[in-house]
Amino acid sequence: MTAALDAPVRPAPVAPIRSASLSFLRLLRIELRRSPVVLILPLIAALFWYDSYRASMTQQPLWMLRTFWNMGQAHTIIDFGPFVAGMAAWIGSRDGRRRTTDLVTAAVRPRWTVALVSWAATAIWAVAAYLAFVGVLFGVYAAEGVRGEPPWWWVAVGVTAVVAFSAAGFAVGTFFPSRFAAPLAAFGGFLAMVMSAQTGFKNPSGWALILPTNSQGNYEQQDTGIFYPYLPDLPIARILFLAGILAACLGLLGLPARAGGRWLRRTAALVTLAGVATTATAVVLVGTAQVDLRGVVIPALHDAANDRPIAYTPVCGPAAQTQVCLNPAYGRYLTDVTTALAPALAEVSGLPGAPQRVTQIAATDTGGPAAMAISGSPPVLLFGLGAEASLPGSNGFQDGTTTTKDFEGILRVQFAQAFLGAGTAGDTPAQQAVEAALLQRAGTTLADQPRLEEIARLGPGPKLSATGPVYDAAKRLAAMAGTAWHAWLAANLTALRSGALTLEQLP
Amino acid sequence: MNVELADLTRRFGRTRAVDAVSLRAGPGVFGLLGPNGAGKTSLLRMMATVLTPTSGRMRLLGRDPGAFPQRREIRRRLGYLPQNLGYYPGFTVFEFVEYFALLKEMPPGQVSRAVAAAVERVGLGDRARAKLRTLSGGMLRRAGIAQAIVNDPELLLLDEPTAGLDPEQRVAFRALLREVGQRAAVVVSTHLVEDVGAVCAEVALMDAGRIVFHGTPAELTARGEDSGAAGDAPLERGYSAVLSASRTAAVARS
């Protein structure tokens, strides 16, 4: 010690108010530099890669599908939440664990503001890491040419969730300053998300929609971000919910007597109340939600502008002299679609009701993910590909791979049902037989058809097999000469479609 | 007067940690002596405004610490080294002192220079960039002293400041205390009587929460003369004699 060598620096006793922000920035810089959050980032990165990144890469190259697992089912939040809560609790409990409470209390700055700086550093690291990881994820998608629109609203939900987890964890650490605070907060965060997800599975509507890892909601709607924008109603409600929790937790830190002066504590109480009110408002709002094919609509938050479809220039190609047009997001499947439909369209060419054009529409507008319908004059075949598991290629870890041959077969089955029968259900035996014959003639064998029909229904149905009187009749029809088959169809199509024709009346 | 205490009492349950203590101290080094459990730390914590008195009056630097705005003004002019110094192991010495300088609301423009000076004054200039977790106990204690003096306090409270310091460091520390004591009131709580004898102009001896002696080190030394009290040094014998007399009187009262 060199008491005699250096003259002491005597600062001005009162710091000017304008220098307060500079002081906060310097405090924040120290906290950021020494934040232990950095230490767990490799662990989060590994989990993020395994859970959010790896799983999504097996999905079709559409934003809606790629991000369904990590954003729609909130796995990015699950990957981050417990770790952030635990680390925030560790930092929140720092003064208690490190026995610096007296030192901090004896300083001028109110403990609430000091705590907020420590928390802010934690939250900044967590959010920066979240955005960096999601940025890499989205960057990879973009580099692969994934089509559609990124779900920015759901990224905002993730960011808010990460911040809310940090605030909740910090509060746990502050009020229970022990070495067990961190694991308890982390486990509590994990438990909350598991319960949130489980409650979500059981409650596809109502208050449970507010839970951040409830996978129900408008994210699941077909063709979201392709034909229609992501509806922001539910994300906004969830952001409100999480922001309320965040405010309430931060406000709680300022309530104890040691946290600061009377005005500061009153402010903290107001912040807490505002947080609770915001959370409650979000829960009430989501209780008014209407769930339809387009997504979750919350009247008080809904903007009609989001109901308007996204403008696009279709990509088109010929299939048996019929123009087939798709949304450019599905452009990579154009060849598969034309290849699938060309033989079937050739079989019905010139017949009444034969489509003059084939146009993809939003799966939500077809009433189902992959339904087809023929309407208008001249007739137009409208169909939805939908972001579903029937697209050719890998369809994620849940649904496996769909071969191009199966994809073609499914489209033909749907076309046959749309052209000849009543759609995916309720065909008469005669309609079924003619459909089967049409498919056989178009290149989809009778043996394959039951399986493809089952996939085309997109759900479990009666076990089918290519046997029995329907298939006997189908074999006879398929064996007819082309001109005879065409002539028979032309003569009997109206009766067949109306259901008046019986199996016995078939040739 | 920098410190004015009147009938200051602090209870923890049924225990009176500090029992009706009255003291006045101005600029200079004031020694607070006493055995373990005498109430020195509780008294210092009250003076540091981190512990609220159960009863009594206290004015520090001419202000009432019970009122929030005045308490802030006291804290702005206060330096405090707790007995059990807590620290953040991941911080460097410089960051640790800078952190508390900023918590004391020092003007940001002056912080870096003040921190560097404080670190230098405690002899840690060459370890300023070292993480606290890498320091020895004595060095940590000096880092604690640096954060206490960084704002050039008008009231400096040091609880067992020489614990862990080697003899050379203690000598340097005493010089530092003398120098700070020229402008500020320095209250040093210790059970090491040689520290008191070396630097303190005034000394109070506490036992069982009470002040049992208040005077100069010379007066305390005089109490030990011809008393037959135990101790290797004159001041130690005075310390022992006062304590012994106080305890005898307490037994007689009860």
Side-chain angles (χ1 to χ4, degrees):
Chain A
M1 292 182 221
T2 54
L5 298 180
D6 297 296
V9 176
R10 178 175 276 276
V14 181
I17 293 171
R18 67 176 173 274
S19 71
S21 54
L22 265 178
S23 295
F24 276 114
L25 286 177
R26 288 184 69 158
L27 278 172
L28 189 60
R29 191 185 62 181
I30 296 174
E31 293 280 10
L32 283 171
R33 198 187 295 158
R34 299 302 168 202
S35 176
V37 175
V38 185
L39 301 176
I40 58 154
L41 290 186
L43 191 61
I44 298 178
L47 186 63
F48 190 89
W49 172 81
Y50 182 80
D51 185 37
S52 288
Y53 177 91
R54 192 187 59 97
S56 73
M57 296 307 282
T58 57
Q59 295 283 359
Q60 294 286 334
L62 294 166
W63 279 100
M64 188 271 161
L65 282 177
R66 281 289 173 96
T67 59
F68 173 72
W69 174 256
N70 49 42
M71 291 289 162
Q73 300 217 347
H75 274 255
T76 56
I77 299 176
I78 295 171
D79 297 341
F80 266 79
F83 291 106
V84 170
M87 196 42 84
W90 182 251
I91 295 165
S93 64
R94 183 178 66 181
D95 287 328
R97 285 184 293 106
R98 293 284 163 199
R99 302 192 310 271
T100 46
T101 307
D102 275 6
L103 272 183
V104 175
T105 305
V108 185
R109 287 200 190 284
R111 284 189 63 184
W112 190 38
T113 57
V114 178
L116 289 183
V117 173
S118 301
W119 164 79
T122 310
I124 286 170
W125 268 115
V127 168
Y130 183 83
L131 289 176
F133 291 3
V134 170
V136 168
L137 190 73
F138 282 18
V140 171
Y141 294 164
E144 285 187 357
V146 170
R147 302 303 299 265
E149 287 183 356
W152 297 119
W153 275 107
W154 293 95
V155 176
V157 173
V159 167
T160 317
V162 167
V163 178
F165 269 106
S166 72
F170 197 90
V172 169
T174 303
F175 289 108
F176 306 101
S178 82
R179 68 184 67 171
F180 301 110
L184 274 177
F187 182 70
F190 179 72
L191 204 62
M193 284 185 298
V194 168
M195 288 174 70
S196 157
Q198 291 303 314
T199 309
F201 285 133
K202 293 174 196 158
N203 297 279
S205 61
W207 72 270
L209 281 174
I210 203 70
L211 299 171
T213 53
N214 183 343
S215 60
Q216 312 279 357
N218 62 350
Y219 199 92
E220 290 187 65
Q221 309 311 317
Q222 302 297 319
D223 286 331
T224 295
I226 297 172
F227 280 90
Y228 293 95
Y230 295 89
L231 282 185
D233 301 21
L234 187 58
I236 291 172
R238 285 188 182 172
I239 287 171
L240 281 175
F241 176 75
L242 293 163
I245 292 173
L246 162 70
C249 290
L250 295 183
L252 278 176
L253 299 176
L255 293 183
R258 64 178 184 273
R262 191 182 299 164
W263 280 107
L264 214 60
R265 290 168 62 203
R266 280 182 186 166
T267 306
L270 284 176
V271 171
T272 308
L273 288 175
V276 172
T278 307
T279 298
T281 304
V283 174
V284 170
L285 280 176
V286 93
T288 66
Q290 296 148 14
V291 186
D292 63 21
L293 283 172
R294 199 68 55 75
V296 174
V297 173
I298 299 173
L301 300 174
H302 191 65
D303 181 356
N306 291 311
D307 294 333
R308 285 198 285 273
I310 298 168
Y312 67 91
T313 305
V315 290
C316 300
Q321 292 161 354
T322 304
Q323 190 78 336
V324 176
C325 291
L326 303 182
N327 185 299
Y330 289 88
R332 73 178 70 219
Y333 307 110
L334 182 62
T335 308
D336 298 320
V337 173
T338 53
T339 306
L341 292 179
L345 287 168
E347 287 294 322
V348 302
S349 175
L351 291 173
Q356 305 299 301
R357 225 160 18 92
V358 178
T359 301
Q360 184 196 6
I361 58 173
T364 47
D365 292 341
T366 65
M372 282 189 187
I374 299 171
S375 66
S377 181
V380 178
L381 175 65
L382 302 171
F383 76 109
L385 280 176
E388 253 313 326
S390 57
L391 291 170
S394 169
N395 282 295
F397 55 93
Q398 285 179 323
D399 304 298
T401 298
T402 302
T403 63
T404 304
K405 188 164 175 282
D406 279 357
F407 175 68
E408 290 171 358
I410 291 162
L411 283 188
R412 284 174 197 158
V413 165
Q414 290 171 342
F415 172 75
Q417 289 170 343
F419 184 73
L420 297 169
T424 52
D427 287 352
T428 64
Q431 287 169 333
Q432 288 175 27
V434 180
E435 285 165 19
L438 172 61
L439 290 168
Q440 167 81 14
R441 299 177 74 92
T444 301
T445 63
L446 292 174
D448 277 348
Q449 290 177 25
R451 184 176 59 83
L452 295 171
E453 280 184 36
E454 215 170 302
I455 302 172
R457 276 195 198 95
L458 295 166
K463 278 280 177 198
L464 303 172
S465 63
T467 55
V470 168
Y471 282 92
D472 290 341
K475 281 173 197 164
R476 290 197 304 275
L477 287 167
M480 288 171 75
T483 48
W485 153 257
H486 210 263
W488 183 87
L489 266 182
N492 295 282
L493 204 47
T494 308
L496 184 68
R497 282 176 178 152
S498 68
L501 218 58
T502 63
L503 204 57
E504 291 72 29
Q505 292 173 295
L506 299 182
Chain B
M1 281 291 124
N2 295 42
V3 178
E4 295 172 83
L5 313 179
D7 291 325
L8 201 67
T9 298
R10 172 69 202 201
R11 285 200 190 95
F12 292 104
R14 290 182 178 178
T15 307
R16 280 173 178 253
V18 176
D19 188 4
V21 166
S22 296
L23 267 181
R24 288 162 67 87
V29 184
F30 188 99
L32 199 55
L33 278 171
N36 294 334
K40 304 187 296 296
T41 293
S42 295
L43 184 60
L44 241 64
R45 290 184 73 212
M46 283 191 282
M47 290 161 68
T49 72
V50 297
L51 191 64
T52 312
T54 308
S55 64
R57 291 188 309 281
M58 176 163 59
R59 284 188 76 78
L60 303 169
L61 304 172
R63 296 169 177 88
D64 175 13
F68 180 73
Q70 295 188 50
R71 185 161 68 237
R72 277 171 62 86
E73 289 308 310
I74 293 166
R75 287 175 174 177
R76 208 184 293 282
R77 294 163 172 80
L78 180 74
Y80 175 46
L81 175 72
Q83 182 178 26
N84 297 312
L85 174 70
Y87 63 94
Y88 309 132
F91 283 31
T92 64
V93 173
F94 193 94
E95 285 168 344
F96 180 66
V97 180
E98 180 188 17
Y99 186 81
F100 284 100
L102 292 166
L103 292 198
K104 291 173 182 183
E105 289 190 349
M106 289 183 69
Q110 298 180 25
V111 165
S112 294
R113 202 158 63 92
V115 172
V119 170
E120 201 63 47
R121 287 172 84 189
V122 297
L124 285 178
D126 57 337
R127 302 301 304 269
R129 304 290 164 197
K131 295 256 179 84
L132 291 178
R133 72 164 69 93
T134 66
L135 300 187
S136 67
M139 287 177 176
L140 280 174
R141 206 71 193 148
R142 284 191 275 160
I145 294 166
Q147 68 77 29
I149 62 171
V150 69
N151 57 333
D152 195 25
E154 293 171 33
L155 175 59
L156 180 60
L157 306 171
L158 303 170
D159 200 350
E160 304 289 359
T162 53
L165 299 186
D166 62 37
E168 188 184 2
Q169 290 163 357
R170 285 170 70 177
V171 169
F173 173 68
R174 287 170 190 162
L176 176 68
L177 280 189
R178 280 189 209 98
E179 193 252 318
V180 174
Q182 287 171 6
R183 299 182 307 279
V186 182
V187 181
V188 183
S189 163
T190 181
H191 58 271
L192 300 174
V193 291
E194 61 267 42
D195 287 341
V196 170
V199 291
C200 296
E202 266 190 280
V203 62
L205 202 159
M206 286 187 78
D207 187 37
R210 290 168 175 261
I211 299 284
V212 294
F213 172 84
H214 184 188
T216 64
E219 289 167 343
L220 183 59
T221 303
R223 294 283 189 96
E225 288 170 3
D226 305 323
S227 65
D232 296 328
L235 200 57
E236 275 183 4
R237 286 193 285 277
Y239 173 92
S240 300
V242 170
L243 275 186
S244 175
S246 155
R247 287 168 184 171
T248 306
V251 170
R253 277 199 302 274
S254 63

